Amino acid sequence: MRAKIYYDGECPFCTRYARYQQLQRNLESVEIVDLRAADEDRARLQAQGFDLDKGMVLDLDGTLYPGDEAVHRLALLSSGGDWLARLNRIALGSRVGAYLIYPLLRLARNATLLALGRKPLAGDDAGDRAWQTLLCMAWGLFAYLHVLVYAWQFDAPMWATTWAIAPFGVALFLFPLSRRIFLLLMLCMAVDAWRQMPSLSNHTILKNTFLLALLLSGAWHALRGGRWRDFLADAAPIGRAALVTMYVFGVFHKINTDFLDPTVSCAVVLWRDMPGFLNNWVQFSLFRYAAIYGTLVIETAVLCCLLIPRSRHVGIILGIAFHAMLAMSGYAIYAPFSTLTIALHLLFLDRDSAREIVESGFWRTAMARLRHPFGFAVFALWLLGLGLLSWNGAYGSVGVLWLPASALLCYAIALYGKAMPAESGRRMLWSRLWWLNSISALFFLSCFAPYLGLKTAQSMNMFANLRLEAGTSNHLVFRSAASQPFGYLADTVEIVHVSGSAYLSRVRSEGLRLTWYGLLDRLERDPAVRVSFRRDGRLYVDQSAATLAEEIELLLHPRWVRRVFHFNPVDVASPKHCALNR
């Protein structure tokens, strides 16, 4: 009996394992072949359908055994007598044991190769690399801006993982094909996302939706030895579906009497904070209506173009341009959210278009200038300027300074991107990992939750003037809040007096209310807070977590559920004015 073991010579685990097997006593001959140095063998095995990045291949008298079958056969043929050899035979000598354990061995192998900076045996093609380049540059820039908005506007707790996101994001922008930087950034974002929750930010829930898809798809493919392109390709439909859902509810939430009212509409308020001469346009009544209905028309047009293959590149350009304009409003720091949407828009770009862009003379010149010492210095000053303006509260100036990045990208897509053929529209919103699509469904449910009476935060209803709380609805389709199947939004309280909570003090001073669930949540998290409030016309004096312990026990979900199930402050004014986070 003769054997050949084909393995990855750059993997130290594979090398030691292949050479450790003491097979000479049971076989006539044993040959160990490093596939990194055997081009013909590698090409032959790949032509026969073997994915060599999924593990070694054993040739036993002309019969080929891949992966777990190979290590199972080797364990049976091994004749070593030390404890390690005996453990190998016990663990992998069983067919079931080899099937269950081998994915973990493969995961360790792939992680080792990644840590060492080694490339897989089967590389990605030019289109995949170009698409990843554009996506990761946008995601890296978003990561840097994400830290700015958390530090200077949200005033959120800044953990070590929060600060680490910024340098990793800049590094990914500069080295978009680095898988190590990408994974380190994903790890920091994942840890920070969990620690920062709950957050009222809509851009946070949009980011976390795609991030969760990346993490789960990555874990699945890491265990199964999948390729990098497959990991990204299976996560991408979730990001596309999230963007489509954002546009659907971005329009649907705005179909209410107050968004259509030019005296309070967020479309007018946000435009009023545009820089320079642009904000003077809102003085004209006709322009106010144009801003309101133009927002609805543009968002609808972007949505339709993205869903139609032949107009998809138009939708990408129009969506990026719309959010670039939005970023110039000084009402809030919109540049992080706009950059996030750019990354999600790029998920719709086909590989051929991405390759045309990255291989164009325009793009090559731009990247060469960026990597020149002078260009790098300008880029560093640009990042510093964005940080200083954010710290100073000059949010509109942040958007103006950020604008050239989106303008250059729009120019490149318009010049070199081309319409997708009709067949490329398949599976755009549906991942091959069927279970991963549950993330898209949950995100859609989160956006629809206000109409069910479930929650308001992270429902993509910011700046929509939408009101469904306290038994009142201003929506033109869901006209009656009484039809909500859940009563969380209807049950609200008015804060009369509070001690020990800056948040509840702000709610009281601004004349807002809280949902009953939201108040109990705050008290459970901070037992020292004392509060007096009105609920259903009755005054409750000097209440705390101790006095309301029975209600807290009965109503509140576990804290891990409340990381995503929470509520905005309730504005009961009529008409409802535009405001952050409500």
Side-chain angles (χ1 to χ4, degrees):
M1 187 176 291
R2 302 173 183 272
K4 275 188 179 182
I5 302 174
Y6 299 97
Y7 74 105
D8 186 347
E10 289 196 359
C11 171
F13 291 149
C14 303
T15 302
R16 293 174 184 175
Y17 181 83
R19 297 189 180 281
Y20 176 78
Q21 301 295 322
Q22 301 180 38
L23 306 170
Q24 288 80 2
R25 297 179 185 176
N26 299 325
L27 298 171
E28 295 178 26
S29 65
V30 179
E31 184 179 352
I32 301 176
V33 181
D34 177 5
L35 289 171
R36 298 278 180 176
D39 295 340
E40 292 184 3
D41 288 327
R42 184 172 70 250
R44 175 174 55 83
L45 291 172
Q46 288 174 336
Q48 290 177 316
F50 290 98
D51 189 341
L52 302 178
D53 289 309
K54 288 189 174 182
M56 65 176 60
V57 176
L58 172 65
D59 182 345
L60 198 59
D61 281 344
T63 303
L64 300 177
Y65 300 95
D68 58 311
E69 293 184 14
V71 297
H72 170 60
R73 296 280 175 172
L74 289 173
L76 294 177
L77 294 170
S78 177
S79 58
D82 60 10
W83 68 271
L84 191 57
R86 290 194 297 271
L87 179 62
N88 178 58
R89 285 195 297 272
I90 293 173
L92 302 177
S94 163
R95 187 68 187 86
V96 175
Y99 179 80
L100 295 175
I101 296 173
Y102 188 72
L104 300 178
L105 299 176
R106 183 171 52 205
L107 176 61
R109 175 254 189 190
N110 291 339
T112 301
L113 289 178
L114 183 64
L116 295 174
R118 310 288 168 78
K119 294 182 179 181
L121 288 165
D124 295 326
D125 60 30
D128 289 321
R129 292 194 299 272
W131 184 75
Q132 181 187 338
T133 295
L134 296 175
L135 172 63
C136 288
M137 290 184 73
W139 188 265
L141 182 56
F142 158 68
Y144 173 76
L145 295 169
H146 171 78
V147 175
L148 298 185
V149 73
Y150 263 71
W152 310 131
Q153 180 179 318
F154 292 173
D155 195 26
M158 301 296 288
W159 314 97
T161 51
T162 314
W163 292 113
I165 290 172
F168 282 135
V170 174
L172 185 64
F173 180 88
L174 295 172
F175 305 99
L177 293 177
S178 172
R179 300 177 179 185
R180 287 180 289 183
I181 295 175
F182 183 87
L183 292 179
L184 286 172
L185 177 60
M186 293 303 102
L187 178 61
C188 287
M189 280 187 159
V191 173
D192 191 65
W194 181 257
R195 300 192 73 177
Q196 293 284 4
M197 293 171 70
S199 169
L200 298 178
S201 165
N202 281 324
H203 101 250
T204 297
I205 189 65
L206 189 61
K207 178 261 295 181
N208 288 349
T209 298
F210 186 45
L211 178 62
L212 181 60
L214 288 170
L215 293 171
L216 292 180
S217 178
W220 173 264
H221 283 287
L223 286 171
R224 295 182 62 86
R227 298 175 62 189
W228 187 267
R229 62 166 293 175
D230 295 331
F231 141 62
L232 291 176
D234 286 336
I238 311 305
R240 298 188 197 109
L243 185 68
V244 166
T245 300
M246 182 199 78
Y247 276 120
V248 167
F249 285 98
V251 173
F252 189 75
H253 288 328
K254 295 183 178 74
I255 306 176
N256 64 73
T257 56
D258 295 329
F259 184 82
L260 302 178
D261 181 352
T263 63
V264 295
S265 176
C266 283
V268 177
V269 172
L270 268 60
W271 193 271
R272 187 176 291 126
D273 283 330
M274 285 288 182
F277 71 96
L278 294 176
N279 57 20
N280 294 327
W281 295 0
V282 295
Q283 297 178 11
F284 304 99
S285 177
L286 183 61
F287 180 80
R288 295 180 183 178
Y289 284 103
I292 293 169
Y293 290 96
T295 299
L296 297 174
V297 169
I298 292 173
E299 290 186 318
T300 302
V302 173
L303 173 63
C304 293
C305 287
L306 290 177
L307 294 177
I308 301 173
R310 294 193 179 278
S311 65
R312 191 161 288 144
H313 68 298
V314 176
I316 296 170
I317 295 171
L318 186 59
I320 293 174
F322 174 74
H323 286 282
M325 179 187 68
L326 177 67
M328 292 192 293
S329 176
Y331 193 74
I333 306 180
Y334 290 107
F337 178 77
S338 295
T339 311
L340 172 60
T341 62
I342 287 176
L344 297 180
H345 279 88
L346 290 174
L347 294 175
F348 284 89
L349 195 68
D350 68 296
R351 268 58 171 182
D352 289 338
S353 293
R355 181 172 51 81
E356 290 288 336
I357 293 171
V358 171
E359 293 180 356
S360 68
F362 165 77
W363 188 267
R364 291 178 183 273
T365 300
M367 292 300 100
R369 290 179 178 176
L370 175 63
R371 285 167 173 75
H372 188 274
F374 178 76
F376 183 79
V378 172
F379 175 67
L381 289 175
W382 182 68
L383 293 178
L384 180 62
L386 291 172
L388 291 175
L389 290 172
S390 300
W391 171 73
N392 198 41
Y395 303 152
S397 298
V398 172
V400 173
L401 185 61
W402 170 88
L403 187 62
S406 60
L408 288 173
L409 182 59
C410 282
Y411 175 78
I413 296 174
L415 197 61
Y416 301 102
K418 56 180 177 293
M420 293 182 172
E423 60 270 21
S424 68
R426 298 173 182 173
R427 292 191 179 275
M428 289 298 293
L429 305 179
W430 185 263
S431 175
R432 293 175 300 178
L433 301 180
W434 61 267
W435 49 270
L436 203 61
N437 296 292
S438 61
I439 300 175
S440 300
L442 290 173
F443 182 67
F444 187 93
L445 177 62
S446 177
C447 294
F448 191 73
Y451 305 100
L452 300 175
L454 277 172
K455 68 170 189 173
T456 53
Q458 294 187 338
S459 300
M460 308 308 295
N461 61 342
M462 187 185 296
F463 310 117
N465 296 89
L466 180 66
R467 176 181 170 189
L468 295 166
E469 304 95 342
T472 302
S473 171
N474 65 359
H475 202 271
L476 294 178
V477 177
F478 290 88
R479 293 178 176 270
S480 175
S483 63
Q484 297 170 358
F486 299 93
Y488 293 103
L489 301 188
D491 194 353
T492 62
V493 298
E494 177 187 1
I495 306 298
V496 176
H497 181 267
V498 62
S499 63
S501 173
Y503 174 81
L504 294 180
S505 296
R506 180 180 66 81
V507 169
R508 183 188 62 80
S509 65
E510 294 183 12
L512 305 175
R513 295 186 185 179
L514 288 179
T515 61
W516 173 235
Y517 189 98
L519 177 62
L520 294 178
D521 176 44
R522 288 280 170 175
L523 295 178
E524 189 274 337
R525 294 176 185 275
D526 193 349
V529 174
R530 314 290 294 189
V531 61
S532 299
F533 58 88
R534 287 191 179 88
R535 181 187 179 210
D536 293 330
R538 179 181 174 184
L539 179 64
Y540 296 82
V541 179
D542 200 27
Q543 300 295 303
S544 66
T547 62
L548 298 173
E550 183 176 348
E551 288 84 351
I552 289 173
E553 177 68 23
L554 180 65
L555 188 61
L556 291 189
H557 299 90
R559 283 196 180 186
W560 68 268
V561 175
R562 282 180 274 153
R563 287 180 177 272
V564 293
F565 186 71
H566 56 291
F567 301 84
N568 290 321
V570 178
D571 187 353
V572 295
S574 183
K576 181 175 179 178
H577 290 261
C578 184
L580 287 167
N581 297 329
R582 62 178 183 271

